[in-house]
Each structure stands twice: as C-alpha cells, then as structure tokens.
Amino acid sequence: MTTTGRSHATPLEHVEASGSPSITAARVLAVLRIATGFIFLWAFLDKTFGFGYSTPSERSWISGGSPTEGFLSHVEVGPLQGFFHTIAGTAWADWAFMLGLLGIGVALILGIGLRIAAVSAALMMALMWIAEWPLAQHTSAGESSGSTNPIVDYHIVYGLVAIVSALTYAGHTWGFGRQWAELPFVRKYPWLA
C-alpha cells in the first residue's frame, strides 16, 4: 500500500491473485507494448538518419530534410487540409513530431511514463489518421492507394495499443514501470506514471 492507501498492484495482478492465468496476459501485453514502441522508435531513427526504408538518406532529418513536409504537404482532402499544409515543414512541427516519435518509442519500450505516452500517441495517431482522410481512396484502376478500411487503420491501432498499455500497467512486466512509479516525483505527480 502507498501512503495514500492505494495499492500499486496492476489490474492483471489482481486477476492473478484470484487464481486466473494472468501471467501470460501480462507477458502478451508487454510484448505488444515493446513491439509498438519499436515501431515509433524505428520511425524516428529512419526519419533522422535515412536508412532507406521509408526515408532515403538524402531526405533524412540530419541531411536537412523535413520529417513532416512530405506527408503533410500532400494532404489532398479532409477537415484539416489547410492546417496541415500550413504547418508542413515548419521547424516546430518537425521537432514536435520527432520528439513525439522518440518519446513515445522510448516510453513504450522501457515501460515508463505510459500515461503521457498513451495520450501523446493517441493524439499523434489521430492527427495522422485525419490527415489521410478519406482513408479508402482508390486509383482509376480501382486499386487502393492506402488503407482499405475507412474507419480503423494502423494509426488507430497504434494509439489504442498505447492506451491499453497504460491502462493495464503493461510497463510493470519486462519494463521499468514499477520502479518508475516509485520515484518521488512520479509519486507526487501520478499523471507522470
């Protein structure tokens, strides 16, 4: 028990205490958290150094490329098209996007600060989802140029994984979430957990 009388046990640990097999569920959530964290961290690394997977080296951030300009300047329709075109390639948008990718990736991999990571990931992914609206666009040949599901695509799934990771204390399994939660400044400001 903490000084506030609340237990630090996760929902999965409460289930485990009742005899249900939650160790497997906790490990599955930890793997999902770490894998999703690596997706965010990889996007940061590829955009920074231009490994050639989605960002060629000549368009990398360290080579003077903008991580937001290509994506945001090509928003063709949607409720925020003008806004996205206005911020495409601006220094503040590039820095916010890249720090977001790095922070979310590191937080998910290490299992710390998952509440902030969840809110940040959900916001970032929601904005990227809106930027690609409408999602199920088709070329003149009838082939889909992107997602074929107009409601749920990978942006929504990544945001949901971050939220589920925070809500289930997934950072306590194969992560540093438990130690992070015991730090004095995190105990003082629990929204940092």
Side-chain angles (χ1 to χ4, degrees), residues 14-129:
H14 287 295
V15 172
E16 184 178 308
S18 69
S20 298
S22 67
I23 292 174
T24 300
R27 289 177 180 164
V28 167
L29 287 168
V31 168
L32 186 62
R33 169 187 55 85
I34 293 166
T36 304
F38 186 68
I39 290 170
F40 281 91
L41 186 59
W42 179 258
F44 169 80
L45 294 171
D46 189 46
K47 290 178 185 323
T48 300
F49 301 106
F51 295 136
Y53 289 90
S54 66
T55 306
S57 60
E58 63 272 6
R59 289 191 4 226
S60 68
W61 202 24
I62 63 169
S63 296
S66 168
T68 62
E69 186 172 17
F71 180 72
L72 294 179
S73 64
H74 289 96
V75 174
E76 296 178 13
V77 294
L80 298 175
Q81 176 188 18
F83 169 72
F84 289 132
H85 286 187
T86 302
I87 68 170
T90 61
W92 73 266
D94 287 347
W95 277 95
F97 179 64
M98 294 300 282
L99 289 175
L101 288 175
L102 177 62
I104 294 164
V106 169
L108 288 173
I109 289 170
L110 295 180
I112 62 172
L114 292 183
R115 290 180 184 171
I116 295 172
V119 170
S120 301
L123 179 62
M124 179 185 285
M125 294 295 99
L127 287 170
M128 292 179 75
W129 181 80

Side-chain angles (χ1 to χ4, degrees), residues 116-161:
I116 295 172
V119 170
S120 301
L123 179 62
M124 179 185 285
M125 294 295 99
L127 287 170
M128 292 179 75
W129 181 80
I130 291 169
E132 289 188 339
W133 190 265
L135 297 174
Q137 297 178 1
H138 296 277
T139 64
S140 58
E143 297 174 14
S144 174
S145 61
S147 174
T148 58
N149 186 322
I151 306 300
V152 179
D153 77 339
Y154 64 96
H155 296 106
I156 301 300
V157 173
Y158 295 160
L160 288 173
V161 168

